[in-house]
Amino acid sequence: MARLAGRRALFAVPVLLVVTFGVFAIAAASPFDPVKAYAGTAALGADQQTLDRLRENLGADQPFAARWWQWLTSALTGDLGDSSVLRQPVAQVIGERLVWSSLLCAVAFAAAVLVGTVLGVLAARRPGSLIDRTVTSLAYTLEAAPVFWIALLAVWLFALQWDVLPAGGLTDTASEQVTAGQVASHVILPAGVLAVSQLPWFTLYVRQGVGDALAEDPVRGARARGLSERTVLLGHALRSGVLPVLTLIGSRVPELITGALLVESVFSWPGIAAATVEAATAVDFPLLAALTTLATAAVLAGNLLADLLYGLFDPRVKLSDM
Amino acid sequence: MSTRRIRGAAATAALAAAVTACSAPSSGGGEGDAKSGSVVIGVASEPDTLNPLLGYGKDGNSKIFDGLLAHDADLKLKPALAAALPEVADGGRTYTYTLRDGVEFSDGEPLTAADVVYTYRTALDAKTNNTFKSELDAVKKVEASGDDKVVFTLKYPYAAFAARTVLPIVPEHIAGEQDPNTGTFNTRPVGTGPYVLSKWSKGEKLTFKANPRYWGGKPKVKTFTMAVISDDDVRATRLRSGDLDGAVLPPNLAATFKSDDGKRTYDAKSYDFRAVTLPTPNKVTGDRAIRRALDAAVDREAMVDKILDGAGRPAYGPLPVDDPAFTKAVERDQDLGKAKKILDEAGWKPAGDGIRAKDGQRASFTLLYPSGDKVRQDHALAYASDAKKAGIEVKAESATWEVIEPRMKNTAVLAGFGSTGDPDFGLYTLLHSSLAGDGFNNMARYDNPAVDRALDTGRRGQDPAERKAAYDKLQRALVMDPGYTFLTHIDHLYVLADRWEDLGTQLEPHEHGFASGPWWNIEDWQPKK
């Protein structure tokens, strides 16, 4: 197990190098101009000398490979550089925002797992029943619906039409302090939308897993022994049906990250994802590279987690063979 | 570690995560009202930084900072941190400011001449990443003389210099300790103004509290919040639901509040013009007859009524009709007959398809407008249809600024611009031939010796009457050779809950919402009796 983790950590190094280099290359090739992004509307009234001076000061006149190397060498010494678009050190940007993104993702994921399990089990109990057909078709519909569209729909319905939940932000507009209660009411809508976007695959996997388990010999035996339907469902079928699904959670991290990106933008949630969008459109190299590294690390960690869980919970898989 | 023990640990961790995800009991949010002295305003965008050294509040109206001078409601200069207007000597080359007594920064440190000197020197430093350094181009040196006097020495007499000194003053003992480009001062500013920043949640809102040390007395509005809501519809909805007390809105949404008794609409006149640049190097747009014909063919009144819902004024030049320097004589109506006559006399003859041509050159050009800006798109399409009536083909195309910029030297662009403070600020960079094609200055590469001369006189002349005559001459010369077709000056609309008195608006620049708006003097608002 430790060997597997160690091997993966070694493997992560070249991946991170390639990914960050790729990000620098793509950003340099994009039509966005870091100087214009930095100056914002003020650039549309600026003289050439000013624009040139900014280009030099921001280091935007150097080739991207040189900038990548600079970024890499200073990042290794612990200096992540300064974000030009947010006018703050990158470490500070991440420190301020990571906690809110983690909260959003954690709440969303917990909700998706809980609701997904319940729906999946309900659907698997009687394949082909009305519940099963409803849940399955709903899952396929949601699978096809873009996250930002669901988010806008949710804002329109819950905030604008019914006025039951706040439309965005972290706290009420007029409040100064960040209180737990305010954050709790503000997190419902974005986390709910993110959960809904993660729900379909999970529900369908659980339905499949539990359905297969219900058709297996041990379950048939348990039923034959006259155990109650509840015990059979929760004790036998759910356990053997859901374990393989749990192992998949880690591999869904990339989807969660892209989902969070869109949801945070729509709900003006002050998290890391919103900063990523800004960094990308402003060609803010240091910030973009740091955030990409974070995301890549999260994906790699998710995959590692998936493999470890697989080895732990599935008796057929030996970690030593991986 | 055995597999079983790891399973146990994993289960415990999952349980712990589930418990922490539970929510705390909620507490109600407070409603803003005049009694509690709090105001919540919705704006479309937030500043990138709150550091004046990087350009925040450089044109005045910052609530956290004060400049040496400030603008009043009619944009006249009045003393702020300076005790009086500056003494001008040496033929307009030196400006001496005496500081007001007893001013303290919100952290309790006294303001001294050293802070002023530090502010201007850092703003002028090439290493400071701001875009307004060139606006202070006239400054040769700035020095303190004692604790309460600051002397600016200029490279040349610059009549409008005093209006530049609305630049907010920052405390050297805080800002001087850090890198102006990325230091904490960008997000946690300290100034002398009527309010202090209590919290900035980026992308969401900024909250301000009254500054107990403010030299100008205690504001009645104790706290105010600027909520950043980029979507116009969402902003209007939140205003309607009472979440906001006021908001900046486009004309069509502002109109929906007309019948709401509890809300008042403020219509701020502005310097914010929409114009078509007619680049000089282009064979068609550089032709004086074409320019004059286009100028006569456009129906400005119709644009104001149809595109802006009446919330604007026809633009007969870069200066709005209510600017004191505006020349009444240049007001003109649409005159298609005149447009055709000009073209006929210049040899632009109608061809088979109704578009005119001269020496094999069709009277046709492309007009770019920034994509996503509906108001500019409507202006571009209206302009194209008016031009067609005179026999000139204008092909309107949308593009991003990344695409527009390399093409703007010989392609027409639907531009928007406008500066307040002094005619020199907006006009010099827009029209002077020495700045042709310099970044975004003089985008049309306009080159007219008479206009250049008038600009120079207006910039260096010390006599107000002489300056006014120069700008008068300039406006008339622009009509004879209109290198830009000025279309409209657009009004900025704000809707506010009607709970406060003494509100008004200033003539506003192109930039608006965060600094200008009815809240430009929020420290003077009084609750309604």
Side-chain angles (χ1 to χ4, degrees):
Chain A
M1 182 160 172
R3 262 189 46 221
L4 174 69
R7 260 213 328 272
R8 289 295 183 83
L10 280 179
F11 168 71
V13 174
V15 171
L16 284 174
L17 286 180
V18 170
V19 168
T20 52
F21 187 79
V23 163
F24 273 63
I26 292 168
S30 79
F32 296 117
D33 178 11
V35 174
K36 297 268 183 337
Y38 174 86
T41 45
L44 300 180
D47 51 313
Q48 198 57 44
Q49 195 189 355
T50 299
L51 295 174
D52 293 346
R53 180 170 58 91
L54 287 180
R55 191 171 299 282
E56 195 180 331
N57 288 357
L58 295 173
D61 52 349
Q62 302 166 7
F64 75 89
R67 302 195 63 194
W68 173 75
W69 184 247
Q70 271 172 11
W71 173 81
L72 188 71
T73 45
S74 56
L76 289 174
T77 60
D79 174 19
L80 292 176
D82 296 311
S83 156
S84 64
V85 72
L86 294 171
R87 273 84 163 164
Q88 283 175 303
V90 169
Q92 193 187 348
V93 174
I94 293 175
E96 279 175 6
R97 293 165 175 260
L98 193 57
V99 56
W100 300 122
S101 285
S102 311
L103 175 77
L104 178 69
C105 290
V107 173
F109 214 85
V113 168
L114 284 174
V115 178
T117 310
V118 171
L119 288 178
V121 171
L122 284 178
R125 270 178 62 191
R126 292 196 186 72
S129 67
L130 180 63
I131 287 194
D132 181 31
R133 288 206 308 267
T134 315
V135 167
T136 315
S137 47
L138 194 67
Y140 282 124
T141 313
L142 285 177
E143 187 81 81
V147 182
F148 70 89
W149 181 79
I150 301 177
L152 290 171
L153 196 70
V155 169
W156 178 79
L157 192 67
F158 291 96
L160 303 188
Q161 293 301 310
W162 297 345
D163 198 23
V164 286
L165 287 168
L170 187 64
T171 53
D172 288 348
T173 323
S175 85
E176 281 180 52
Q177 273 75 36
V178 179
T179 61
Q182 294 229 337
V183 174
S185 69
H186 280 73
V187 80
I188 294 174
L189 215 47
V193 170
L194 193 53
V196 163
S197 72
Q198 293 296 314
L199 205 53
W201 70 269
F202 201 80
T203 309
L204 294 172
Y205 268 116
V206 171
R207 176 183 167 272
Q208 192 63 42
V210 174
D212 290 349
L214 281 173
E216 280 171 359
D217 289 344
V219 173
R220 288 230 295 278
R223 276 190 177 147
R225 288 201 301 279
L227 292 177
S228 77
E229 185 62 22
R230 224 181 110 190
T231 318
V232 171
L233 196 66
L234 301 181
H236 296 75
L238 186 62
R239 190 171 158 179
S240 59
V242 169
L243 286 183
V245 182
L246 282 179
T247 61
L248 285 167
I249 286 181
S251 57
R252 309 300 296 198
V253 170
E255 236 181 274
L256 192 66
I257 292 177
T258 43
L261 212 73
L262 296 163
V263 168
E264 283 190 11
S265 301
V266 173
F267 288 99
S268 38
W269 187 258
I272 217 90
T276 310
V277 177
E278 276 194 62
T281 51
V283 203
D284 187 348
F285 278 118
L287 183 58
L288 193 57
L291 296 177
T292 315
T293 308
L294 263 183
T296 313
V299 171
L300 292 174
N303 283 337
L304 176 65
L305 183 73
D307 289 344
L308 289 177
L309 288 175
Y310 216 51
L312 285 176
F313 290 119
D314 198 327
R316 290 166 301 184
V317 179
K318 279 214 188 80
L319 279 174
S320 53
D321 294 345
M322 289 172 89
Chain B
M1 215 169 175
S2 75
T3 302
R4 179 177 290 275
R5 278 189 36 214
I6 294 176
R7 276 183 205 170
T12 318
L15 193 68
V19 170
T20 48
C22 281
S23 65
S26 93
S27 58
E31 279 272 292
D33 62 54
K35 282 191 197 64
S36 73
S38 88
V39 174
V40 182
I41 290 158
V43 291
S45 61
E46 66 185 340
D48 296 315
T49 165
L50 293 175
N51 186 349
L53 300 170
L54 296 187
Y56 165 68
K58 71 176 177 69
D59 299 320
N61 283 353
S62 159
K63 295 293 135 220
I64 311 171
F65 296 97
D66 297 300
L68 290 168
L69 304 180
H71 291 298
D72 66 7
D74 305 324
L75 294 185
K76 286 206 171 46
L77 289 170
K78 59 176 187 191
L81 292 182
L85 294 178
E87 295 160 39
V88 185
D90 193 17
R93 277 194 185 78
T94 62
Y95 280 69
T96 307
Y97 291 82
T98 307
L99 296 186
R100 186 182 293 273
D101 273 342
V103 176
E104 290 178 347
F105 286 102
S106 59
D107 65 350
E109 290 286 325
L111 164 90
T112 68
D115 295 310
V116 180
V117 171
Y118 166 79
T119 301
Y120 279 88
R121 282 188 184 163
T122 316
L124 283 162
D125 185 348
K127 288 203 172 48
T128 307
N129 293 336
N130 63 31
T131 49
F132 68 95
K133 175 174 180 274
S134 50
E135 295 179 356
L136 296 169
D137 186 51
V139 178
K140 187 156 90 186
K141 59 179 196 259
V142 50
E143 294 155 306
S145 107
D147 260 354
D148 67 340
K149 268 200 171 46
V150 180
V151 184
F152 292 89
T153 311
L154 306 188
K155 295 172 191 162
Y156 49 84
Y158 183 28
F161 178 71
R164 287 288 187 215
T165 57
V166 298
L167 177 72
I169 301 303
V170 303
E172 185 179 17
H173 66 273
I174 299 175
E177 304 291 305
Q178 39 177 274
D179 177 354
N181 297 324
T182 54
T184 50
F185 200 80
N186 285 301
T187 46
R188 290 204 292 278
V190 173
T192 54
Y195 292 89
V196 290
L197 177 78
S198 53
K199 190 166 186 312
W200 183 7
S201 166
K202 276 206 174 169
E204 188 193 352
K205 65 185 176 195
L206 298 94
T207 329
F208 300 91
K209 276 202 306 277
N211 171 10
R213 299 178 192 272
Y214 180 52
W215 52 270
K218 284 199 171 18
K220 288 281 190 300
V221 177
K222 294 281 177 265
T223 61
F224 76 94
T225 303
M226 289 280 192
V228 186
I229 307 158
S230 54
D231 188 278
D232 293 337
D233 291 299
V234 174
R235 218 177 314 121
T237 309
R238 286 175 67 174
L239 178 61
R240 207 167 282 123
S241 74
D243 183 24
L244 303 175
D245 298 315
V248 49
L249 291 174
N252 56 342
L253 283 169
T256 59
F257 289 90
K258 276 220 170 71
S259 55
D260 187 336
D261 287 342
K263 304 261 192 304
R264 277 191 62 185
T265 302
Y266 294 85
D267 177 335
K269 303 274 174 270
S270 81
Y271 281 77
D272 192 1
F273 64 70
R274 295 292 176 268
V276 175
T277 68
L278 299 172
T280 304
N282 180 307
K283 278 202 180 63
V284 179
T285 56
D287 183 281
R288 191 195 277 205
I290 294 273
R291 290 176 172 187
R292 289 181 58 213
L294 286 167
D295 191 86
V298 288
D299 189 348
R300 297 177 172 88
E301 302 278 353
M303 288 184 186
V304 172
D305 292 340
K306 300 263 183 342
I307 300 173
L308 303 175
D309 286 333
R313 273 115 358 107
Y316 303 109
L319 295 173
V321 291
D322 28 21
D323 185 81
F326 176 74
T327 302
K328 273 259 177 268
V330 300
E331 292 189 14
R332 51 206 184 269
D333 292 329
Q334 182 190 29
D335 188 345
L336 273 175
K338 182 180 163 195
K340 288 174 181 154
K341 189 159 154 267
I342 292 170
L343 290 169
D344 284 339
E345 284 171 1
W348 291 93
K349 299 284 184 225
D353 57 355
I355 304 301
R356 294 166 181 263
K358 178 183 179 180
D359 310 333
Q361 173 70 51
R362 286 178 85 238
S364 160
F365 62 93
T366 303
L367 168 60
L368 299 172
Y369 59 89
S371 41
D373 186 332
K374 189 171 178 310
V375 170
R376 293 197 202 200
Q377 177 182 339
D378 292 348
H379 275 91
L381 297 175
Y383 184 76
S385 98
D386 286 345
K388 200 163 169 107
K389 291 175 192 151
I392 301 170
E393 181 184 51
V394 178
K395 299 187 289 273
E397 286 175 20
S398 82
T400 60
W401 280 111
E402 283 79 17
V403 175
I404 293 175
E405 197 199 349
R407 294 179 61 187
M408 67 191 185
K409 58 179 174 292
N410 54 17
T411 311
V413 178
L414 209 115
F417 193 58
S419 306
T420 53
D422 190 282
D424 172 80
F425 295 172
L427 302 186
Y428 196 89
T429 49
L430 183 76
L431 299 168
H432 204 283
S433 64
S434 67
L435 299 177
D438 174 18
F440 284 87
N441 287 334
N442 192 351
M443 276 161 72
R445 295 176 187 241
Y446 188 66
D447 185 354
N448 182 334
V451 169
D452 282 353
R453 269 196 306 279
L455 284 168
D456 291 331
T457 311
R459 173 159 275 206
R460 286 157 196 247
Q462 294 301 304
D463 172 17
E466 181 195 15
R467 295 188 72 211
K468 189 159 169 29
Y471 288 124
D472 186 73
K473 206 179 287 172
L474 175 145
Q475 291 172 75
R476 291 168 195 269
L478 262 180
V479 180
M480 296 316 295
D481 182 13
Y484 295 76
T485 315
F486 293 95
L487 306 174
T488 56
H489 279 100
I490 63 179
D491 290 356
H492 300 151
L493 294 176
Y494 306 93
V495 178
L496 256 102
D498 195 12
R499 289 200 308 264
W500 300 84
E501 291 180 340
D502 297 345
L503 272 62
T505 54
Q506 292 173 302
L507 253 176
E508 297 182 355
H510 178 59
E511 300 274 329
H512 68 289
F514 196 81
S516 39
W519 37 87
W520 70 275
N521 64 343
I522 193 165
E523 65 271 22
D524 300 335
W525 288 12
Q526 300 296 331
K528 268 200 138 137
K529 299 292 176 288

